[in-house]
């Protein structure tokens, strides 16, 4: 066996390995998204958040399951916020941001979602601290700005 043959076999094995890893990531992301969607339709938002979060953790570039999970979490957070359930809204928005941060490598995927989520998280936190004595008289925008600073 020549050196060129050995190199070609090595490259082929490496490419096969990468394809198998990519397939596993894509399959697991899809499976977690489907589980999350099942719980979302059943209105079990806590379980839905868990599975959508896991789907995002199986990030691969161009993954529709990851994008759909982000959008579903945003919907859960927005609906919860509109109903006045700030705890569930925070859980959903924080799940998006933290999952995307954990998926970063030499770049951070879906940075626009992180910015949107941080804005919502800061607004919710600014409303939550409104009644605390140290924030009496502090305008909402100032409280929100402080919360955003902490998030960054």
């Amino acid at each position: 066996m020549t050196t060129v043959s050995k190199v070609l076999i090595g490259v082929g094995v490496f490419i096969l390995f990468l394809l198998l890893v990519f397939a596993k990531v894509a399959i697991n992301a899809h499976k977690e998204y489907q589980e999350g969607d099942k719980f979302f339709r059943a209105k079990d938002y806590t379980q839905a958040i868990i599975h959508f979060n896991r789907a995002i953790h199986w990030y691969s570039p161009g993954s529709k399951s990851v994008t759909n999970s982000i959008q579903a979490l945003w919907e859960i957070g927005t609906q919860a916020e509109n109903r006045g359930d700030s705890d569930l809204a925070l859980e959903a928005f924080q799940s998006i941001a933290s999952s995307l941060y954990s998926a970063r490598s030499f770049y951070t995927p879906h940075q626009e979602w992180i910015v949107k989520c941080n804005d919502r998280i800061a607004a919710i936190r600014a409303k939550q601290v409104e009644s605390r004595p140290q924030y009496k008289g502090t305008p909402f925008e100032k409280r929100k700005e402080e919360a955003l600073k902490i998030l960054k």
Side-chain angles (χ1 to χ4, degrees):
M1 189 177 275
T2 67
T3 306
V4 173
S5 298
K6 289 179 183 177
V7 169
L8 288 176
I9 289 171
V11 168
V13 167
F14 180 71
I15 290 172
L16 178 63
F17 172 75
L18 287 179
L19 288 173
L20 290 172
V21 168
F22 186 80
K24 173 144 178 80
V25 168
I27 289 167
N28 284 345
H30 184 68
K31 184 182 89 177
E32 291 295 345
Y33 169 74
Q34 286 181 320
E35 281 293 305
D37 191 50
K38 179 180 78 174
F39 285 112
F40 179 76
R41 283 186 269 112
K43 298 188 183 329
D44 185 347
Y45 298 122
T46 302
Q47 285 299 311
I49 288 171
I50 290 168
H51 289 283
F52 290 140
N53 186 16
R54 288 178 184 168
I56 298 170
H57 280 269
W58 284 107
Y59 175 81
S60 63
S63 171
K64 194 74 170 155
S65 298
V66 170
T67 303
N68 291 341
S69 294
I70 292 168
Q71 290 169 340
L73 285 167
W74 181 262
E75 189 174 336
I76 291 169
T78 303
Q79 288 176 4
E81 192 175 13
N82 290 339
R83 287 191 314 270
D85 188 347
S86 59
D87 290 337
L88 183 63
L90 271 176
E91 188 178 350
F93 295 139
Q94 288 171 333
S95 181
I96 296 170
S98 66
S99 295
L100 290 173
Y101 276 129
S102 74
R104 69 182 167 190
S105 57
F106 55 90
Y107 74 101
T108 304
H110 300 285
Q111 285 182 317
E112 70 282 3
W113 282 105
I114 294 172
V115 171
K116 285 172 65 171
C117 288
N118 283 348
D119 185 66
R120 296 309 322 136
I121 293 165
I124 292 167
R125 287 186 178 161
K127 288 176 189 171
Q128 288 178 332
V129 300
E130 184 174 35
S131 62
R132 294 186 184 162
Q134 67 265 35
Y135 291 102
K136 285 272 194 241
T138 306
F140 171 78
E141 285 303 318
K142 177 102 169 104
R143 294 190 314 267
K144 182 179 172 186
E145 186 180 308
E146 286 179 23
L148 267 174
K149 198 183 308 182
I150 291 168
L151 288 169
K152 291 178 183 180

